[in-house]
Amino acid sequence: MRISSLLLIAVAALAACRRAPQAPADAAPVQEVVAGVPMIDFTSPEARFSCRAPRDWGMREKLVEKKNGATFVGEAAPRGSALVHISIRRYPESEPGRVDARTYAESFWEIDPARKQPDIATERVGGATVLRFHQERPYYKGHSRKPEYMNRYDYALIPVPGGFFEIEHRARAEEYKATLPVFEAVVRSFKPAP
């Protein structure tokens, strides 16, 4: 009886010494919250850039190959609306022959429904020169000729040696303001790798 009592006491003592389980470290800690969207640090070694990215949005590798950039996909407000996309593409990797950001920006009249060139603004963001413009274009479902709704596209082009990066925000025209601050946070935090 003494041995079993001693064994029971030893097991109880060992159990008391055992550490409480620790919560696993957050692999992608939230760095800031923008328009209610938690933002994390994101790095693409393949496309050679880093930026803040929406933590809870999905990624679509079918839209942009990893070596060319990234696409983050979230829901617009209100729920049930069209998806919102923030895409980052590196040129000329994404489209051979496109190496000059200004020439690329000046070609957007070709896809404008009214064949109008968007106004292009130049600004400094985080030490980089950024070309900014926006455009509205219709969304067609399937093979329909009837537009379902209008999408608003906001662009930031960031020249780098040998090419440029394009950061694009796409959302329904009547809802784009809800996620535009998220796009602005991505642009503001964007850093091309040397």
Side-chain angles (χ1 to χ4, degrees):
M1 189 114 162
R2 286 181 147 219
I3 295 176
S4 63
S5 295
L6 288 174
L7 189 58
L8 184 59
I9 292 171
V11 169
L14 285 174
C17 291
R18 204 170 70 178
R19 289 185 181 172
Q22 293 180 339
D26 190 351
V30 173
Q31 300 299 319
E32 66 179 311
V33 176
V34 176
V37 176
M39 304 290 285
I40 61 171
D41 287 335
F42 176 82
T43 301
S44 172
E46 298 90 354
R48 303 181 313 276
F49 71 87
S50 64
C51 65
R52 292 276 162 91
R55 181 190 68 188
D56 300 331
W57 290 18
M59 285 192 66
R60 292 271 172 93
E61 292 179 359
K62 290 181 182 179
L63 298 177
V64 177
E65 292 182 46
K66 279 186 177 182
K67 66 183 176 107
N68 298 339
T71 297
F72 309 105
V73 181
E75 290 187 22
R79 287 214 170 279
S81 295
L83 295 176
V84 176
H85 293 78
I86 296 177
S87 297
I88 302 170
R89 291 181 187 86
R90 184 180 184 98
Y91 289 85
E93 289 80 356
S94 291
E95 193 174 329
R98 296 233 185 245
V99 293
D100 183 69
R102 170 114 2 225
T103 302
Y104 177 65
E106 290 172 352
S107 72
F108 272 72
W109 66 270
E110 297 173 4
I111 58 173
D112 188 82
R115 308 291 279 176
K116 181 179 180 263
Q117 173 61 44
D119 293 331
I120 302 168
T122 302
E123 61 185 57
R124 299 287 291 171
V125 178
T129 299
V130 179
L131 303 177
R132 308 280 302 247
F133 59 97
H134 69 271
Q135 191 174 50
E136 288 190 11
R137 299 193 302 265
Y139 169 78
Y140 296 93
K141 190 174 185 178
H143 296 289
S144 173
R145 293 178 188 241
K146 179 183 173 198
E148 293 282 318
Y149 51 85
M150 294 298 282
N151 272 327
R152 160 113 174 193
Y153 296 83
D154 288 272
Y155 295 93
L157 306 182
I158 303 167
V160 294
F164 61 96
F165 282 92
E166 172 192 71
I167 307 174
E168 172 193 278
H169 173 250
R170 180 179 78 195
R172 285 181 80 146
E174 65 268 13
E175 299 169 352
Y176 81 96
K177 289 181 182 177
T179 53
L180 191 63
V182 177
F183 166 74
E184 295 298 340
V186 172
V187 172
R188 186 175 58 252
S189 65
F190 184 84
K191 290 181 184 63

